Amino acid sequence: MGKATRYRFREYHVTTVTDPLALPTFEAVCVTGEERNCAAASGELHASDELTRWIAGHCAQTGHQSYEQTTRTIVRAEPGAWQ
């Protein structure tokens, strides 16, 4: 039989900070529809006001009012002290 090995890990605190060099991305998908969603997508944009303009344009053309919005940012993990 093999020898059992046990590991014990101590905990440490980790903080996350937004990477100041990375641009956030914003995206919306139209979820208006009764039988199925419209599914028109804005694509990735780098400013929230660009996303709002896309939503306003799609709403003006179609009358659709429901959207799923996704915002992504790059964060860095900064490990703290061991406990």
Side-chain angles (χ1 to χ4, degrees), residues 1-77:
M1 286 207 182
K3 179 180 173 187
T5 306
R6 297 178 75 181
Y7 294 96
R8 182 174 177 172
F9 295 99
R10 296 183 294 166
E11 293 184 22
Y12 62 94
H13 294 284
V14 173
T15 341
T16 57
V17 292
T18 302
D19 186 340
L21 300 177
L23 290 174
T25 58
F26 303 90
E27 187 171 3
V29 176
C30 180
V31 294
T32 305
E34 291 181 24
E35 295 294 318
R36 60 186 172 94
N37 291 339
C38 166
S42 66
E44 288 187 354
L45 303 169
H46 292 289
S48 62
D49 57 333
E50 290 179 62
L51 183 64
T52 301
R53 277 195 293 278
W54 181 85
I55 291 172
H58 185 72
C59 181
Q61 291 176 350
T62 62
H64 295 171
Q65 296 179 337
S66 297
Y67 299 85
E68 179 181 275
Q69 177 180 325
T70 305
T71 304
R72 293 187 182 106
T73 57
I74 303 293
V75 296
R76 285 191 338 250

